C-alpha cells in the first residue's frame, strides 16, 4: 500500500484528512453565475428569425454539405472510404457500403443524402 | 445518516472532511471488504490556470482511483471513481489540444460495452461542472435545502439515493479554462472559447475517454445544462459526423437558440412572450396570482398560460415592438391577474423582461432569475446579485477541495476554477450568425441518427431559460416521437430541489431504460 492510499484508507476511519484539503488553495469564482449573460457587443443589429419546416431542413442539408466539403480535400465532390476516415467523416466511413450503392469506391454528398433519406424512412417504419 | 457540525470558520473545512468521511464509512465505502486497499490517490504536481492566455506545455493522463459504495433503491452498488485528466487531440494529426479534468463514476463488475455512459457538463459559458457534479445525480450530493437560501454551510455531502449510477455510468467534465481543464500549447484557453471550437474539443475529449476505457459500444448520452445544451446540440452533430453515435441527449434548462432568449440578450430586442407561463408560475408561488394554484395544480395553470401567451400576449408584444402600440388594458388586466405583477409595471414595460419582473413582483424583494421561488430582501447581500444563483456558491466552493482530496484522492496546487470570465470574449458566432441557433445542429444530429432520443428537462420557475421558449424551439423540429419534454417545480437547476430531483430521477430512469420515448 502506498503512503497515499494508506492515508486514504485512514481518512475513511475518521482520522483528520485535512492535510490534503488544507494545502489546496480555495476555489476561485471569476464570474458569479448571475453574471453569465451575453455581452451587449456580441448581440447583432438584426436577430435572425427562427426557421422551421423546409427552411430548417434546407439549413440542415447545407450544414451537412459543408461538413462533407470540408473533408473533400481533392475538390472532386467525392470522397473515398479512406479519405472519409482520415478527414473526420467517420459517419461516411462507418456507412460507406450502404452509401456507395453503385460500388463506385467513392461517394458524393448526393449519395449521402440519398442514404439519409432511406435511413429516415426505415427508422420511421420501425416505430 | 448525516450530522451537521456547528463550528467556526476555521473548523469548517475540517468538519466537511469529517462529514464526508463519516458518510463514506456509513455508506460502506470500501464496504466490499477491503476494496479501499486498491485505492490510488494522485497528487498532481501541475498548476492549472483558467486565464485566457494560459496554456500547458504538455499534459499527462493521470488520475486517482477510489472505490466506494452507494445504496440506490435499497440495492448496494459498488463503484469506482476516477478523477484526473485526459487529453483531447486532433483526430487527424494527433496533436494534443487540451487537457480535460474529469471525474468518472463507473459501476463495478460490468461488461464495458453494456452500460450507458453519460457525459455531464454545465454551461456559462465559463462555468465548471461542479453544479451538476455535486448537486444532481452523482453518487454523492450536497444538500442545499433549495429553495431555502438559509441552509448553513458547509452543506452536508450525502450519499445520493437518487443517483443515476444504477442506470448509467457518469463522467463530469469541466470545460477548458474551468475546474482544472486547460489548453495545451500552442493553443491557449481562449482558443476553445467559442461555440464551435468548444464543441469540437469536447468531441475529442469524449472520443479519447471512449478509447482509453473501451466504451465504444456503450450507449452514449450527453447531459448538458444551460449553455451546456447549446454545446450538446453542436456536439451531438460533431460526434455523429465523426462516426460516434449518440444514443440520447438530455437537455437541462435549454437555450438552444440565443437569438430568441429574452434573458440572455439585450433588453428590449427580443419578444418576451414565451416567458409568460414562467411569470405565472412565479406569481402563483408567491401567492400573488389570482388564483395562485399550488404546485400540484401547476400543469393545468401552465397550459392556460401557454394559450394566453400564444393567442394574446406574444402577438400583442410583437405589435408593440413593431409599432409601439400599447397592449390593451383588457389584456393588461388579465396579465395582472395571472401573474400578480402590478398594472403600472405591465403598462410601463409591455415587453416584460425578466429583469424588470424580478424586481417588481414582490414589494421590496428581488426574486431570482435562476429560480423565481427564491427571493431576497432589497438591500440584503443576496440581493446584490441573483439570489437564486449566488446563494449556492459558498457551499459548493467549500465542498470542492474536501471532496476531491479526501473523497477522491486527487490534489493539485491549483485553485479549482468554479468559473472564468470567458463569456466576455466568447465567440458566439455559429453557422454564419452572430449568436448561435443550434436547433439546426440538433436536427442534423437526428438526421444522421434517426434513433437519437432527446429528453428536455425544465423548471417552471426558471426565468433565465424559460420552459415555454424551449418548447417553441423544439417545436421547430416538427412532430418528433423521439423528443420528450418534462417539467418540474424549480428553476434552472431543478435537481437542487429534493422533490424535483426524485421526479427527474424517475423520468430519467425511464428514458434510459425504455427503447421508445414516452411523450
Amino acid at each position: 500500500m502506498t503512503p497515499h492510499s494508506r492515508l486514504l484508507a485512514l481518512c475513511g476511519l475518521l482520522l483528520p484528512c485535512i492535510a490534503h484539503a488544507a494545502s489546496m488553495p480555495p476555489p476561485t469564482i471569476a464570474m458569479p453565475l448571475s453574471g453569465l449573460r451575453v455581452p451587449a457587443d456580441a448581440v447583432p443589429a438584426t436577430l435572425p428569425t427562427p426557421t422551421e419546416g423546409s427552411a430548417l431542413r434546407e439549413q440542415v442539408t447545407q450544414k451537412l454539405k459543408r461538413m462533407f466539403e470540408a473533408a473533400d480535400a481533392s475538390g472532386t465532390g467525392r470522397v473515398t472510404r479512406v479519405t472519409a476516415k482520415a478527414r473526420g467523416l467517420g459517419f461516411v466511413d462507418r456507412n460507406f457500403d450502404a452509401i456507395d450503392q453503385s460500388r463506385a469506391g467513392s461517394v458524393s454528398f448526393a449519395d449521402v443524402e440519398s442514404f439519409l433519406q432511406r435511413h429516415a424512412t426505415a427508422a420511421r417504419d420501425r416505430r | 445518516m448525516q450530522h451537521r457540525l456547528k463550528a467556526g470558520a476555521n473548523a469548517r473545512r475540517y468538519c466537511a472532511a469529517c462529514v464526508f468521511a463519516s458518510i463514506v464509512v456509513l455508506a460502506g465505502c470500501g464496504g466490499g471488504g477491503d476494496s479501499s486497499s486498491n485505492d490510488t490517490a494522485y497528487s498532481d504536481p501541475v498548476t492549472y490556470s483558467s486565464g485566457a492566455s494560459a496554456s500547458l506545455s504538455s499534459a499527462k493522463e493521470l488520475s486517482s482511483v477510489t472505490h466506494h459504495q452507494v445504496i440506490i433503491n435499497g440495492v448496494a452498488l459498488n463503484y469506482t471513481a476516477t478523477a484526473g485528466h485526459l487529453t483531447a487531440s486532433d483526430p487527424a494529426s494527433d496533436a494534443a489540444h487540451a487537457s480535460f479534468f474529469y471525474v468518472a463514476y463507473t459501476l463495478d463488475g460490468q461488461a464495458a460495452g453494456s452500460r450507458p455512459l453519460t457525459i455531464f457538463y454545465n454551461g456559462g459559458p465559463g462555468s465548471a461542472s461542479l453544479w451538476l457534479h455535486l448537486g444532481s445525480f452523482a453518487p454523492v450530493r450536497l444538500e442545499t435545502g433549495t429553495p431555502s437560501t438559509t441552509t448553513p454551510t458547509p452543506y452536508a455531502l450525502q450519499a445520493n439515493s437518487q443517483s443515476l449510477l444504477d442506470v448509467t455510468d457518469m463522467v463530469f467534465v469541466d470545460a477548458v479554462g474551468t475546474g482544472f481543464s486547460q489548453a495545451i500549447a500552442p493553443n491557449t484557453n481562449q482558443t476553445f472559447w467559442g461555440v464551435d471550437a468548444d464543441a469540437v474539443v469536447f468531441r475529442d475529449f469524449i472520443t479519447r475517454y471512449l478509447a482509453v476505457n473501451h466504451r465504444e459500444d456503450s450507449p452514449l448520452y450527453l447531459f448538458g445544462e444551460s449553455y451546456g445544451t447549446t454545446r450538446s446540440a453542436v456536439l451531438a452533430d460533431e460526434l455523429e459526423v465523426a462516426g460516434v453515435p449518440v444514443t440520447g441527449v438530455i437537455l437541462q434548462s435549454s437555450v438552444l437558440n440565443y437569438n430568441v432568449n429574452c434573458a440572455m440578450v439585450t433588453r428590449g430586442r427580443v419578444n418576451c412572450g414565451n416567458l409568460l407561463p414562467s411569470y405565472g408560475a412565479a406569481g402563483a408561488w408567491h401567492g400573488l396570482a389570482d388564483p395562485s394554484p399550488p404546485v400540484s395544480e401547476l400543469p393545468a395553470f401552465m397550459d392556460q398560460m401557454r394559450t394566453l401567451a400564444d393567442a394574446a400576449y406574444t402577438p400583442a408584444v410583437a405589435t408593440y415592438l413593431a409599432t409601439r402600440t400599447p397592449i390593451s388594458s383588457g389584456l393588461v388586466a388579465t396579465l395582472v391577474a395571472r401573474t400578480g405583477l402590478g398594472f403600472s409595471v405591465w403598462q410601463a414595460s409591455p415587453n416584460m423582461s425578466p429583469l424588470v419582473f424580478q424586481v417588481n413582483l414582490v414589494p421590496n424583494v428581488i426574486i431570482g432569475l435562476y429560480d423565481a421561488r427564491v427571493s431576497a430582501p432589497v438591500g440584503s447581500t443576496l440581493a446584490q446579485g441573483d439570489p437564486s444563483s449566488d446563494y449556492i456558491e459558498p457551499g459548493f466552493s467549500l465542498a470542492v477541495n474536501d471532496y476531491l482530496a479526501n473523497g477522491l484522492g486527487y490534489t493539485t496546487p491549483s485553485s479549482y476554477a468554479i468559473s472564468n470570465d470567458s463569456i466576455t470574449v466568447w465567440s458566439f458566432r455559429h453557422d454564419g450568425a452572430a449568436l448561435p441557433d443550434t436547433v439546426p445542429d440538433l436536427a442534423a444530429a437526428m438526421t444522421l441518427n434517426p434513433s437519437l432520443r432527446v429528453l428536455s428537462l425544465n423548471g417552471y420557475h426558471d426565468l433565465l431559460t424559460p420552459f415555454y421558449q424551449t418548447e417553441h424551439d423544439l417545436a421547430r423540429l416538427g412532430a418528433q416521437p423521439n423528443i420528450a419534454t418534462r417539467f418540474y417545480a424549480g428553476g434552472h437547476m431543478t435537481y437542487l430541489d429534493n422533490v424535483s430531483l426524485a421526479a427527474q430521477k424517475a423520468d430519467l430512469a425511464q428514458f434510459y431504460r425504455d427503447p421508445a420515448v414516452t411523450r
Side-chain angles (χ1 to χ4, degrees):
Chain A
M1 191 188 275
T2 68
H4 279 135
S5 57
R6 189 180 302 123
L7 180 65
L8 209 67
L10 292 175
C11 284
L13 295 173
L14 286 174
L15 287 177
C17 341
I18 46 89
H20 278 194
S23 69
M24 286 170 76
T28 54
I29 301 180
M31 183 81 73
L33 277 179
S34 50
L36 294 171
R37 287 198 289 284
V38 176
D41 59 12
V43 182
T46 325
L47 294 162
T49 314
T51 53
E52 52 188 68
S54 57
L56 177 57
R57 281 193 293 279
E58 182 56 26
Q59 267 186 302
V60 172
T61 300
Q62 288 309 314
K63 197 181 197 16
L64 294 174
K65 185 157 192 264
R66 276 195 304 275
M67 288 167 124
F68 181 91
E69 286 169 352
D72 173 23
S74 66
T76 60
R78 305 188 71 82
V79 299
T80 61
R81 186 199 295 268
V82 166
T83 306
K85 197 178 162 89
R87 293 186 66 88
L89 285 186
F91 179 86
V92 171
D93 172 40
R94 279 169 64 111
N95 297 289
F96 196 86
D97 290 334
I99 298 172
D100 184 18
Q101 297 228 293
S102 59
R103 298 283 167 265
S106 64
V107 299
S108 66
F109 183 67
D111 292 329
V112 174
E113 274 192 289
S114 171
F115 165 79
L116 291 173
Q117 270 153 29
R118 292 193 304 275
H119 210 33
T121 312
R124 207 166 36 242
D125 292 343
R126 275 198 298 276
R127 289 193 200 113
Chain B
M1 180 124 175
Q2 87 259 23
H3 54 280
R4 296 274 169 80
L5 299 171
K6 293 176 173 52
N10 285 339
R12 277 196 189 130
R13 218 181 299 153
Y14 302 65
C15 290
C18 292
V19 166
F20 179 80
S22 67
I23 296 306
V24 157
V25 167
L26 289 166
C29 179
D34 57 358
S35 60
S36 58
S37 62
N38 294 326
D39 287 353
T40 313
Y42 178 48
S43 183
D44 187 347
V46 177
T47 302
Y48 299 94
S49 166
S50 59
S53 57
S55 66
L56 298 164
S57 54
S58 64
K60 296 190 169 142
E61 295 185 322
L62 295 170
S63 60
S64 63
V65 179
T66 52
H67 300 87
H68 312 264
Q69 187 181 85
V70 66
I71 298 174
I72 301 173
N73 296 328
V75 178
L77 301 175
N78 293 320
Y79 67 92
T80 299
T82 306
H85 288 80
L86 282 173
T87 299
S89 303
D90 188 288
S93 70
D94 221 24
H97 279 171
S99 183
F100 275 89
F101 180 72
Y102 70 96
V103 178
Y105 298 97
T106 51
L107 192 64
D108 291 347
Q110 308 293 307
S114 63
R115 295 202 90 215
L117 177 73
T118 305
I119 316 294
F120 287 77
Y121 35 81
N122 279 98
S127 174
S129 298
L130 88 165
W131 316 108
L132 280 169
H133 184 188
L134 299 183
S136 73
F137 299 105
V140 297
R141 176 174 172 272
L142 290 171
E143 176 53 75
T144 64
T146 298
S148 164
T149 60
T150 56
T151 305
T153 58
Y155 293 142
L157 186 69
Q158 299 179 320
N160 186 7
S161 61
Q162 299 297 338
S163 173
L164 276 169
L165 187 68
D166 58 334
V167 293
T168 178
D169 291 337
M170 293 172 279
V171 182
F172 296 87
V173 56
D174 292 322
V176 176
T178 73
F180 302 126
S181 296
Q182 188 170 343
I184 298 170
N187 305 293
T188 62
N189 283 341
Q190 190 167 353
T191 305
F192 304 106
W193 290 352
V195 172
D196 295 335
D198 167 271
V200 165
V201 78
F202 263 83
R203 174 201 70 192
D204 296 337
F205 163 77
I206 290 171
T207 54
R208 180 62 182 159
Y209 183 91
L210 297 178
V212 163
N213 294 283
H214 311 292
R215 300 300 298 258
E216 291 92 342
D217 290 339
S218 294
L220 177 66
Y221 291 77
L222 305 176
F223 191 129
E225 173 184 323
S226 194
Y227 177 81
T229 63
T230 321
R231 171 184 294 135
S232 282
V234 182
L235 175 56
D237 188 33
E238 291 286 353
L239 285 164
E240 292 288 350
V241 169
V244 179
V246 178
T247 299
V249 175
I250 298 157
L251 303 170
Q252 169 77 45
S253 306
S254 302
V255 50
L256 294 172
N257 183 3
Y258 268 75
N259 296 282
V260 296
N261 185 293
C262 193
M264 293 286 191
V265 305
T266 326
R267 196 190 301 192
R269 297 289 311 277
V270 168
N271 188 321
C272 299
N274 289 329
L275 268 152
L276 187 64
S278 312
Y279 293 154
W285 178 267
H286 292 281
L288 297 168
D290 179 23
S292 283
V295 167
S296 58
E297 290 164 33
L298 210 48
F301 179 41
M302 293 297 95
D303 267 343
Q304 290 169 13
M305 296 301 279
R306 287 181 177 105
T307 303
L308 182 62
D310 284 344
Y313 181 57
T314 302
V317 170
T319 301
Y320 169 75
L321 287 173
T323 66
R324 276 315 187 246
T325 308
I327 292 179
S328 76
S329 53
L331 177 54
V332 174
T334 304
L335 297 172
V336 171
R338 295 283 85 80
T339 65
L341 184 66
F343 194 93
S344 59
V345 188
W346 280 109
Q347 274 202 316
S349 296
N351 183 26
M352 181 54 61
S353 154
L355 302 171
V356 172
F357 186 85
Q358 74 173 145
V359 301
N360 284 293
L361 180 69
V362 182
N364 302 312
V365 158
I366 295 183
I367 67 173
L369 288 191
Y370 282 72
D371 188 341
R373 304 172 306 169
V374 171
S375 58
V378 167
S380 66
T381 313
L382 273 181
Q384 303 310 309
D386 185 317
S388 61
S389 62
D390 295 350
Y391 78 104
I392 52 172
E393 286 176 354
F396 275 72
S397 182
L398 276 172
V400 166
N401 283 351
D402 281 309
Y403 178 55
L404 288 175
N406 301 323
L408 301 180
Y410 176 89
T411 58
T412 157
S414 325
S415 286
Y416 184 89
I418 290 177
S419 66
N420 59 36
D421 58 2
S422 59
I423 196 169
T424 62
V425 297
W426 195 267
S427 173
F428 282 99
R429 291 203 69 84
H430 182 63
D431 281 350
L435 293 178
D437 172 11
T438 65
V439 169
D441 296 81
L442 189 59
M446 295 177 79
T447 300
L448 293 176
N449 181 358
S451 303
L452 194 161
R453 293 173 295 128
V454 176
L455 180 65
S456 164
L457 307 172
N458 305 273
Y460 283 124
H461 304 89
D462 178 358
L463 303 186
L464 193 68
T465 58
F467 71 88
Y468 199 39
Q469 184 59 58
T470 296
E471 291 186 83
H472 274 275
D473 292 339
L474 291 172
R476 291 167 55 195
L477 297 169
Q480 290 281 350
N482 276 10
I483 300 177
T485 315
R486 297 286 183 264
F487 311 93
Y488 311 94
H492 206 53
M493 300 177 175
T494 48
Y495 49 82
L496 293 180
D497 180 307
N498 292 346
V499 173
S500 298
L501 178 76
Q504 278 190 260
K505 170 65 196 289
D507 289 338
L508 283 161
Q510 183 183 34
F511 182 69
Y512 280 94
R513 287 183 168 137
D514 287 359
V517 152
T518 312
R519 305 224 65 205

